[in-house]
Amino acid sequence: MLTDEEALSRLATHPLPANPWVYATDRAIIIKAEYTDTIERLLRWAPKTRWSAKHRCWIVPLSGLELVRSILPELSRLAEAMQTEPVTAEVPGNTALPLDAMAADETARQIFRDNARLLYGSDWQRETARALDRNEAALASWLVGLGVMEAPPAVLLGEMLALMRRRVLDIAAAADTLERQLAASGIAPPV
């Protein structure tokens, strides 16, 4: 395990990616997620990790930095799945990229997340990866700023737009079919 000083040094040279659910302070790593056995099992190897009912978050000592870094995509996926609406709170920044590039990449990730959640609800990451024929782990890594996708953000957003347009057509066709079935069965839909 790392000492606090070693962890702070590593964070200074290689910070955690900007993430609304998992971020480091100068005293601990905060995971904004509800208590679940799954997260508890993921964090069991970081001694002195605890759930704070008062603050509704997990608190991981800085010594657990590399464990958190290794499971960050899964932690982010679980934390986001627990959210009832998109989070827009400020997150301690990652200064590894120039501000414009970092802001553009985060904007692309946010647009992707918001639209994927609109299409698929709480399990949007898995379903979107399947619909776009993308690797779910690679997609999750890109969404938290850790990995590079096999395609640039503009390509992924273009694929998302095409997927949404296909879904609109599918839903419109299904609504037309339902309307015909209701009419044929004599069931009048409410006006």
Side-chain angles (χ1 to χ4, degrees):
M1 284 278 135
L2 300 172
T3 66
D4 286 356
E5 293 77 26
E6 291 170 328
L8 287 170
S9 174
R10 288 185 186 193
L11 282 168
T13 58
H14 186 59
L16 290 172
N19 185 317
W21 300 283
V22 182
Y23 57 90
T25 69
D26 61 345
R27 295 181 11 198
I29 299 164
I30 308 300
I31 302 167
K32 298 296 259 179
E34 293 297 321
Y35 178 88
T36 68
D37 290 338
T38 304
I39 293 178
E40 183 177 37
R41 284 191 302 273
L42 287 170
L43 297 173
R44 71 177 174 255
W45 301 112
K48 299 183 182 175
T49 294
R50 64 185 175 87
W51 160 250
S52 170
K54 178 181 177 185
H55 294 86
R56 311 295 303 163
C57 67
W58 292 88
I59 301 170
V60 180
L62 289 173
S63 60
L65 171 65
E66 294 308 320
L67 169 70
V68 169
R69 197 183 303 273
S70 71
I71 59 173
L72 187 57
E74 184 65 11
L75 285 173
S76 296
R77 187 185 73 74
L78 291 167
E80 183 160 356
M82 294 176 196
Q83 306 305 313
T84 56
E85 52 190 68
V87 175
T88 57
E90 288 292 312
V91 176
N94 174 351
T95 58
L97 294 173
L99 189 56
D100 291 342
M102 190 173 84
D105 197 45
E106 180 53 36
T107 298
R109 288 193 302 263
Q110 188 61 49
I111 290 169
F112 189 93
R113 279 190 293 264
D114 290 347
N115 287 287
R117 186 181 292 114
L118 179 66
L119 283 174
Y120 295 108
S122 65
D123 200 23
W124 65 268
Q125 273 187 307
R126 178 169 290 117
E127 295 303 322
T128 304
R130 286 180 186 155
L132 297 178
D133 197 26
R134 297 286 178 181
N135 178 287
E136 184 182 347
L139 181 64
S141 292
W142 173 69
L143 287 166
V144 297
L146 278 180
V148 176
M149 285 296 296
E150 60 266 21
V155 171
L156 292 171
L157 290 170
E159 290 176 356
M160 175 63 72
L161 179 59
L163 174 62
M164 292 181 84
R165 287 192 171 139
R166 284 191 310 270
R167 291 289 308 269
V168 164
L169 294 174
D170 293 344
I171 291 170
D176 290 344
T177 301
L178 176 60
E179 186 176 46
R180 285 190 303 275
Q181 289 172 336
L182 292 174
S185 66
I187 302 171
V191 178

